[in-house]
Amino acid sequence: MESALAVPRLPPHDPGTPVLSVVDMHTGGEPLRIVLAGCPEVSGPTLLAKRRYMRQHLDHVRRRLMFEPRGHRDMYGAVLVPSELPDAHLGVLFLHNEGYSSMCGHAVLALGRFALDFGLVPAPAAGTREARVNIHCPCGLVTAFVACEDGRSHGPVRFHSVPAFVLATDLMVDVPGHGKVVVDIAYGGAFYAFVSAEKLGLDICSAKTRDLVDAASAVTEAVKAQFKINHPDSEDLAFLYGTILTDGKDAYTKEPTTNICVFADEQVDRSPTGSGVTARIALQIHKGLLELNQARAFKSSATGSVFTGKAVREAKCGDFKAVIVEVSGQAHYTGTASFIVEDDDPLRDGFLFK
């Protein structure tokens, strides 16, 4: 019996439904499920067009991989696709419990390792200590720098963001259950509302996660209802992704500042949120609380994991003054899997528990 079970084989399944093969990773506790095979071709002349096509025609792939019973409501995924940009090594579509993100920093950190280890970029020359991986995200081209040894990833990864900028500061919104609340809105590849948890009567470090989620979600819905998000490059990027509650420690300090990100459909990021760190640094630069090349540590209140970040140079995004932000963190592999479907399974496309 032991020798028979040791031979890998698939259980009974619908032969007409492609097997979805994946590699699972995590960055600071936040999962990433990378699709290796089984996703039908994603059509479209541009990455944003491919994102629209996937949403309209292939959403069952997202649901099967993100939802229970194969995933959970906080699962995150990536589908790799060709890019129209000549400098890109790969293009990526990000998947979550509600749909498709424009940027994901924890995923970029993991994909940097994955791209090097799985041969998606040229093998680095002998003695190279850091490999460059150009990843085309829906928000634009993001460059990851992967620490390596003997041609394999080894150690942390850092990335340089798209131009990050502040859309609004000191925006007063009426949040049900909390009254008038002042928030800031900044972009780090995706738009976030930022507010100190203390303003909502919560301690970021000791409050129950459910209470933080409820408060952050209330802020998100209030901002969506009362403020129009605009992006100078594309309407596809003009949406509020979520709310990041902070410890209010925006002025520079050597100690980590703590936050929690609640995005999509009340999904909780286990990491400090790479695109959120990007946006928060842009906000701190905008307010004069941080200088170029001044590094800060950002800690997740969910897991205690830490990313570091700094603004490395000034940039522009439309008429907005912007910065390019470098974010660093550590990703790890957790396993591989092959997901199948049986044709008589009424829950073949998954479900979500709330």
Side-chain angles (χ1 to χ4, degrees), residues 41-44 48-59:
E41 180 181 357
V42 184
S43 300
L48 286 175
K50 288 180 171 69
R51 181 169 170 261
R52 292 191 292 270
Y53 182 91
M54 182 110 192
R55 180 190 294 120
Q56 294 166 8
H57 302 286
L58 299 174
D59 198 51

Side-chain angles (χ1 to χ4, degrees), residues 1-9:
M1 177 65 72
E2 183 178 349
S3 60
L5 290 176
V7 178
R9 65 177 184 177

Side-chain angles (χ1 to χ4, degrees), residues 244-267:
I244 295 179
L245 303 181
T246 77
D247 58 8
K249 298 175 182 177
D250 291 326
Y252 175 75
T253 172
K254 291 183 179 180
E255 297 300 314
T257 174
T258 301
N259 56 231
I260 187 170
C261 175
V262 181
F263 65 99
D265 183 9
E266 297 189 348
Q267 191 159 339

Side-chain angles (χ1 to χ4, degrees), residues 16-94:
T17 302
V19 176
L20 288 164
S21 299
V22 304
V23 169
D24 277 1
M25 302 183 71
H26 82 89
T27 310
E30 180 68 358
L32 183 68
R33 177 162 286 169
I34 305 167
V35 180
L36 286 178
C39 181
E41 180 181 357
V42 184
S43 300
T46 67
L47 192 65
L48 286 175
K50 288 180 171 69
R51 181 169 170 261
R52 292 191 292 270
Y53 182 91
M54 182 110 192
R55 180 190 294 120
Q56 294 166 8
H57 302 286
L58 299 174
D59 198 51
H60 62 277
V61 174
R62 178 188 67 86
R63 297 196 304 272
R64 286 177 188 169
L65 291 175
M66 299 298 100
F67 290 5
E68 293 187 53
R70 302 172 188 89
H72 52 83
R73 68 170 297 103
D74 295 312
M75 179 56 78
Y76 207 95
V79 172
L80 307 185
V81 295
S83 168
E84 73 274 14
L85 300 182
D87 293 335
H89 293 115
L90 65 147
V92 59
L93 301 176
F94 300 119

Side-chain angles (χ1 to χ4, degrees), residues 25 85 88 97 134 172 189 234 241 253 264 269 290 316 327 334:
M25 302 183 71
L85 300 182
N97 71 8
N134 294 330
M172 184 77 73
S234 173
Y241 191 30
T253 172
D269 196 334
L290 202 61
K316 292 279 286 185
V327 177
T334 57

Side-chain angles (χ1 to χ4, degrees), residues 41 161 232 288 322 325 328:
E41 180 181 357
S161 72
V325 176
S328 302

